[in-house]
Amino acid sequence: MYLPKYGAWERQERNRLILDYADAGMSAGTIRQALAKARGITLTQRHIQRVINRERSRTRPTTHE
């Protein structure tokens, strides 16, 4: 049975939370405040935006015409 390292799992959960907030229409600044308040996580707005962009580019469907 595979178990990821705790740090990797924690980052994955954090990124899922960031994406959930982004899907709800929150800006990077608002997400930053929500993470700090709810989980004590401090990230820059730029880092949050990179997480959003990277994850959306991975899940964006490709069109073949």
Side-chain angles (χ1 to χ4, degrees):
M1 180 162 89
Y2 171 75
L3 291 175
K5 290 183 180 179
Y6 182 74
W9 174 82
E10 200 170 38
R11 274 190 309 279
Q12 183 181 14
E13 290 301 308
R14 180 199 70 198
N15 291 348
R16 284 184 189 168
L17 184 58
I18 289 171
L19 292 174
D20 287 344
Y21 284 149
D23 289 341
M26 295 173 73
S27 68
T30 309
I31 293 171
R32 181 177 185 265
Q33 292 172 347
L35 288 173
K37 186 176 182 180
R39 301 277 175 102
I41 299 171
T42 55
L43 297 173
T44 64
Q45 289 181 21
R46 182 173 181 212
H47 186 82
I48 291 168
Q49 194 60 53
R50 284 195 313 251
V51 169
I52 293 168
N53 292 342
R54 182 181 62 239
E55 294 300 322
R56 286 189 176 160
S57 70
R58 287 181 182 173
T59 59
R60 189 173 297 146
T62 57
T63 58
H64 299 282
E65 296 178 21

